[in-house]
Amino acid sequence: MKGPEHLPGLTGSPSAAGTGTGTGAEAGPVPGLPAPVVDMSISRRSEDAGNTVNLTVDDGPDPQWTPRILDVLARNGVKAVFCMLGPDARARPELARQVVAAGHRLCNHSVSHDTAMDHKDVGYQEREILDGLRMIQDATGGAPVPYYRAPGGAFTPESRQIAAAHGMRPLGWNVDTRDFERPGADRIVETVEEQLRRGPTVLLHDGGGNRAQTVEALERLLPRLRAEGRTFSFPER
């Protein structure tokens, strides 16, 4: 699969739906679609109180970079949300199960990482979401998938409701590290430090390209954030 740096919609500013600055992204239930069974608003806050950080890791699982990120997280006692692409989970079920076994949470990141999903018909959106969910659950032996993140933050009211009707809370972010652009580990660290004032949910990547800078940045960030008095949590479900 092509990495995020080659995918339309991921080389400019993140979608307003992802960062929570847009209008209309939080519309109520859409008539004619299954009713939500979890909150269909976009989650960005922590489920725990205090000075928290929620790490979210997109576009894997990747055979080279996911194990390295898992190792950094384990050595620092940190849990994260892994937003997996259905075909990649299906291709690497042992790695998807390793993520679950380590106590991390799963997020459905669709089938084809189409950042123009918000311009496609509802049937297409539904297939991307539900096929991705099935692939991840098949790969992990039916592990819970409590979140759905639209590629590039390309949510619609319909996609949020489809996800929520199948138990997945739409997941946004507050901190966009833009690590897929490979700006250098120093810049990734600086971006997290600068943007955490916006909120606790941090967007990183373990797939789609060389993630050595992301690994290096996490090596530095996790001890630093703890030293600043921050704790690690998960996004609200």
Side-chain angles (χ1 to χ4, degrees):
M1 175 191 139
K2 290 184 179 180
E5 56 265 47
H6 302 297
L7 290 167
L10 285 186
T11 55
S13 298
S15 163
T19 56
T21 56
T23 59
E26 303 291 330
V30 178
L33 291 177
V37 297
V38 297
D39 192 335
M40 63 180 278
S41 67
I42 297 172
S43 175
R44 303 177 187 87
R45 294 192 295 263
S46 293
E47 64 180 19
D48 296 313
N51 197 16
T52 57
V53 179
N54 310 319
L55 296 181
T56 66
V57 188
D58 286 17
D59 294 354
D62 179 271
Q64 180 173 6
W65 302 109
T66 303
R68 291 184 63 179
I69 287 177
L70 286 172
D71 179 63
V72 176
L73 295 174
R75 284 189 281 106
N76 287 274
V78 173
K79 306 301 182 188
V81 177
F82 282 78
C83 299
M84 295 186 179
L85 295 167
D88 288 5
R90 182 175 60 185
R92 304 175 187 102
E94 70 294 336
L95 193 47
R97 288 175 178 157
Q98 185 180 343
V99 169
V100 174
H104 304 288
R105 289 186 186 173
L106 297 177
C107 172
N108 173 11
H109 201 34
S110 83
V111 173
S112 58
H113 204 288
D114 182 355
T115 58
M117 274 181 65
D118 52 340
H119 299 291
K120 304 293 176 62
D121 64 67
V122 174
Y124 175 86
Q125 295 178 58
E126 184 174 46
R127 289 190 298 275
E128 283 285 310
I129 295 167
L130 299 188
D131 288 353
L133 174 62
R134 280 190 288 271
M135 291 177 189
I136 294 167
Q137 289 185 319
D138 287 349
T140 58
V145 183
Y147 307 101
Y148 164 69
R149 173 172 279 164
F155 290 101
T156 64
E158 292 84 1
S159 69
R160 291 189 296 105
Q161 186 167 335
I162 291 164
H166 290 83
M168 295 176 287
R169 176 85 184 262
L171 178 59
W173 62 83
N174 308 107
V175 179
D176 183 6
T177 63
R178 304 192 71 80
D179 60 336
F180 59 85
E181 294 180 340
R182 288 179 278 187
D186 288 346
R187 184 57 195 151
I188 295 170
V189 171
E190 290 166 3
T191 299
V192 174
E193 295 278 14
E194 290 167 1
Q195 294 187 13
L196 273 173
R197 66 177 68 92
R198 301 177 180 177
T201 301
V202 179
L203 172 61
L204 297 158
H205 295 82
D206 63 339
N210 186 319
R211 297 289 163 251
Q213 294 178 4
T214 302
V215 173
E216 182 181 349
L218 282 171
E219 293 270 15
R220 299 186 205 170
L221 265 171
L222 301 185
R224 182 182 301 189
L225 292 171
R226 283 202 190 279
E228 293 171 357
R230 294 186 181 271
T231 58
F232 293 89
S233 183
F234 289 112
E236 287 182 328
R237 290 192 287 183

